[in-house]
Amino acid sequence: QVQLIESGGGSVQAGGSLTLSCGGSRRTTSNNGLGWFRQSPGKEREFVAGISWNGGNKLYVDSVKGRFTISRSSDRNRATLEMNNLKTEDTAVYFCAAARSAVAGSSSRGYNYWGRGTQVTVSS
């Protein structure tokens, strides 16, 4: 059974920063793309950022470009989402996901393993 565990969520004021981390077992994540999604109440789950198996390709939703940075560890087992200049509209539950392939696209259908999520709350 694949397990993905997120950490690093919390509450911050607008303009602040948070860093999310996601870890998975080596057998299941080191050769797969990793992605971050988020979901706020009443809204559909939204792609935030993705990174390919070796970190060579990264993808971001337009609303976070220039503010969020995705990376993965040298052993490829962990993904980190550094979030800067946070806005109130970034408030959501953030989910880490492992892609079905080595790339990380923006569609949730491309991911087959999910973490339970971590809450990020940005106040004005």
Side-chain angles (χ1 to χ4, degrees):
Q1 181 68 28
V2 175
Q3 285 189 322
L4 294 173
I5 300 175
E6 303 99 337
S7 62
S11 297
V12 65
Q13 288 189 325
S17 300
L18 284 173
T19 298
L20 306 182
S21 184
C22 169
S25 59
R26 176 180 179 182
R27 183 168 60 87
T28 55
T29 59
S30 62
N31 294 320
N32 295 74
L34 293 173
W36 287 96
F37 289 74
R38 65 187 179 187
Q39 188 168 21
S40 52
K43 295 186 178 181
E44 293 187 354
R45 190 167 296 189
E46 172 191 36
F47 171 80
V48 177
I51 187 168
S52 61
W53 75 283
N54 63 353
N57 290 291
K58 301 177 183 180
L59 185 65
Y60 299 93
V61 69
D62 286 346
S63 61
V64 307
K65 285 181 180 178
R67 300 189 298 122
F68 291 12
T69 302
I70 189 171
S71 60
R72 65 192 300 167
S73 58
S74 56
D75 63 4
R76 310 199 303 270
N77 292 336
R78 301 190 65 81
T80 297
L81 185 67
E82 181 180 349
M83 306 184 295
N84 297 312
N85 191 21
L86 282 161
K87 303 177 180 180
T88 55
E89 51 263 42
D90 294 319
T91 295
V93 176
Y94 283 70
F95 298 89
C96 175
R100 300 177 188 274
S101 69
V103 298
S106 61
S107 171
S108 60
R109 292 190 297 271
Y111 297 79
N112 54 348
Y113 296 111
W114 295 82
R116 293 186 176 183
T118 184
Q119 177 70 46
V120 171
T121 303
V122 184
S123 59
S124 58

